[in-house]
Amino acid sequence: MLTADQKKNLISANASLLLQLEEANAILEAREEEIDYLRTQLAELTALRSKMDGQQEEIEKFHYLLYKKDEQAEGAIERETGLQQELNGLAGLNKKYNELLQDYAYLSIRFTDAQARLTALNERNFELEQVAGKIGELESILENSKIEREELKKKITSLELEKYI
């Protein structure tokens, strides 16, 4: 049979474990929110990468078009009227090409920033996984404590029944 001090210690330990469980659950919830945030960030980074890849292909197409237009301009010197029209079109493409180059530079910088953020997010995710592992260990310890507590309750009940018999 347990003494009053032992019962108090068990009750105190149980209360402490309940507080630890509440803290672990709060930490787990916060980590899950962080994981959701990281997933959102990853989706945004993927979309940004896709957009950047599309724009890079567009830049390459325009570069190729510029190359072809340059060749046509060299071969069409004797056709000044046609050349003037082609040069006007080429100037528009050149402007668009320069704008795309600026967009590409901007997106390259954003991509570099996004990669840095992704690296940081991956590091955070690793830390979260470690915390989740620790939480799992604590939950296992708590579950074992509950089982032991139930066994002790059964033993106490059994001893009390024996006492009355």
Side-chain angles (χ1 to χ4, degrees), residues 1-2 4 13 40 55 69 85 95 97 141 155:
M1 177 172 210
L2 294 176
T40 302
Q55 287 185 343
K69 290 292 181 182
Q85 291 173 352
K95 180 182 177 188
Y97 176 75
I141 290 169
K155 284 182 182 179

Side-chain angles (χ1 to χ4, degrees), residues 87-98:
L87 287 176
N88 288 339
L90 189 59
L93 283 177
N94 219 356
K95 180 182 177 188
K96 198 163 190 176
Y97 176 75
N98 288 332

Side-chain angles (χ1 to χ4, degrees), residues 12-159:
S12 174
N14 188 34
S16 174
L17 287 173
L18 286 173
L19 285 175
Q20 288 177 1
L21 177 61
E22 287 177 10
E23 288 174 3
N25 283 336
I27 290 170
L28 182 59
E29 185 177 323
R31 296 304 184 227
E32 287 174 351
E33 289 175 8
E34 285 182 19
I35 288 171
D36 288 341
Y37 172 75
L38 294 175
R39 285 184 179 137
T40 302
Q41 290 293 313
L42 183 59
E44 289 175 6
L45 290 175
T46 302
L48 182 62
R49 173 65 182 199
S50 176
K51 181 179 178 183
M52 190 177 77
D53 288 345
Q55 287 185 343
Q56 185 170 355
E57 286 178 19
E58 213 175 280
I59 287 171
E60 290 172 2
K61 287 178 185 176
F62 281 117
H63 187 70
Y64 178 74
L65 286 174
L66 285 173
Y67 172 75
K68 286 295 184 184
K69 290 292 181 182
D70 283 340
E71 283 185 347
Q72 290 173 2
E74 288 175 11
I77 290 176
E78 58 274 342
R79 297 176 297 132
E80 194 165 318
T81 306
L83 179 62
Q84 197 61 29
Q85 291 173 352
E86 287 180 19
L87 287 176
N88 288 339
L90 189 59
L93 283 177
N94 219 356
K95 180 182 177 188
K96 198 163 190 176
Y97 176 75
N98 288 332
E99 291 171 356
L100 285 174
L101 280 178
Q102 289 175 348
D103 286 347
Y104 179 75
Y106 171 73
L107 288 175
S108 292
I109 291 168
R110 287 207 47 205
F111 177 71
T112 302
D113 291 342
Q115 281 182 320
R117 286 193 321 198
L118 179 60
T119 300
L121 292 176
N122 284 336
E123 290 171 2
R124 259 199 208 155
N125 192 29
F126 177 72
E127 291 172 3
L128 290 175
E129 288 174 358
Q130 289 178 330
V131 167
K134 288 179 184 177
I135 289 171
E137 290 175 14
L138 289 173
E139 288 176 342
S140 176
I141 290 169
L142 181 61
E143 187 61 34
N144 289 339
S145 296
K146 285 181 181 178
I147 291 170
E148 287 178 16
R149 182 176 169 232
E150 289 302 317
E151 289 175 3
L152 287 173
K153 280 183 179 179
K154 288 178 185 176
K155 284 182 182 179
I156 289 171
T157 305
S158 144
L159 288 174

